[in-house]
Amino acid sequence: AAGVIQSPRHLIKEKRETATLKCYPIPRHDTVYWYQQGPGQDPQFLISFYEKMQSDKGSIPDRFSAQQFSDYHSELNMSSLELGDSALYFCASSSAVGTQYFGPGTRLTVL
Amino acid sequence: GIQVEQSPPDLILQEGANSTLRCNFSDSVNNLQWFHQNPWGQLINLFYIPSGTKQNGRLSATTVATERYSLLYISSSQTTDSGVYFCAVEPGGYQKVTFGIGTKLQVIP
């Protein structure tokens, strides 16, 4: 069965650079969620989209923005990167009130 | 928001031993998942289990929704079981998943 696809899987950036993470949900899933997992921590919710509209927002820095496109894929844009942004970023998708399925994650390293 | 507590935070087992991991949550949930995070960071879903009992090989899980807890059983542990086990709950539809802090399991030969 198709799963959530995230790209890239690994990303290395310098401080103050920008990064764009992409998420392709499971086909026919209309909702996308983004989570950030710092070293030694549990994943924390950042933001979610339902039918291309922002549906919920967590502790997402103002330097980050995200959107969901007409094909339901989502992008997380991160600007003015800081060392503390180094983390695993997970995307999850769901349909209606169904279970969230998690992608493999993108490991971002900021140097 | 909903609170998720996992215990124990750390666990060291001899290969072949059994263990039980616990997850308590503070409110009713639409779904509950158990994950194993491998050394490469991937979250491997073990169970979707809002209630009842499920088994998959050496692993089984039980959720008692009315008492707001879930248990993950690992039998005959192997070194490849090492990693962090997360419990994660979904309060309802279209709502974020809240994770516990995880149980870090180390299985030694």
Side-chain angles (χ1 to χ4, degrees):
Chain A
V4 176
I5 297 171
Q6 291 188 244
S7 68
R9 295 292 309 278
H10 302 271
L11 189 59
I12 299 175
K13 291 286 186 178
E14 300 275 345
K15 277 171 49 178
R16 291 180 289 278
E17 286 190 321
T18 61
T20 297
L21 310 185
K22 297 184 179 182
C23 170
Y24 297 87
I26 291 171
R28 291 179 293 283
H29 280 194
D30 52 16
T31 307
V32 168
Y33 308 78
W34 286 97
Y35 296 83
Q36 177 192 55
Q37 184 181 21
Q41 299 178 4
D42 55 289
Q44 296 291 316
F45 171 72
L46 290 177
I47 195 166
S48 62
F49 293 86
Y50 165 65
E51 285 290 347
K52 292 149 278 184
M53 299 288 289
Q54 181 182 307
S55 54
D56 196 5
K57 193 173 181 180
S59 303
I60 183 169
D62 292 341
R63 299 177 291 106
F64 293 7
S65 65
Q67 58 181 335
Q68 186 179 31
F69 294 85
S70 57
D71 64 351
Y72 295 101
H73 94 273
S74 178
E75 295 184 3
L76 177 66
N77 299 293
M78 310 158 69
S79 63
S80 302
L81 287 169
E82 302 174 357
L83 296 178
D85 296 329
S86 295
L88 269 168
Y89 291 84
F90 291 100
C91 172
S93 75
S94 71
S95 65
V97 294
T99 298
Q100 291 183 34
Y101 294 84
F102 281 75
T106 293
R107 185 178 294 278
L108 172 65
T109 302
V110 181
L111 302 175
Chain B
I2 193 168
Q3 304 297 313
V4 181
E5 296 179 354
Q6 288 187 246
S7 60
D10 296 278
L11 185 59
I12 299 175
L13 293 177
Q14 200 77 40
E15 199 169 25
N18 304 326
S19 64
T20 301
L21 281 54
R22 187 176 179 103
C23 172
N24 294 331
F25 44 97
S26 60
D27 207 343
S28 58
V29 297
N30 187 53
N31 206 350
L32 183 146
Q33 301 187 50
W34 281 99
F35 292 96
H36 175 215
Q37 188 162 42
N38 64 24
W40 297 272
Q42 272 190 291
L43 286 173
I44 309 299
N45 175 268
L46 300 175
F47 296 101
Y48 295 102
I49 186 166
S51 64
T53 298
K54 292 185 178 180
Q55 179 151 12
N56 184 2
R58 296 181 296 103
L59 302 180
S60 65
T62 295
T63 297
V64 183
T66 53
E67 296 187 23
R68 298 179 183 166
Y69 72 88
S70 183
L71 302 174
L72 178 68
Y73 305 96
I74 304 174
S75 63
S76 305
S77 58
Q78 301 176 358
T79 56
T80 52
D81 294 333
S82 297
V84 182
Y85 289 81
F86 286 105
C87 168
V89 302
E90 298 175 46
Y94 297 117
Q95 294 189 43
K96 64 182 181 182
V97 165
T98 298
F99 287 76
I101 61 170
T103 292
K104 186 173 182 180
L105 173 65
Q106 184 180 357
V107 181
I108 55 178

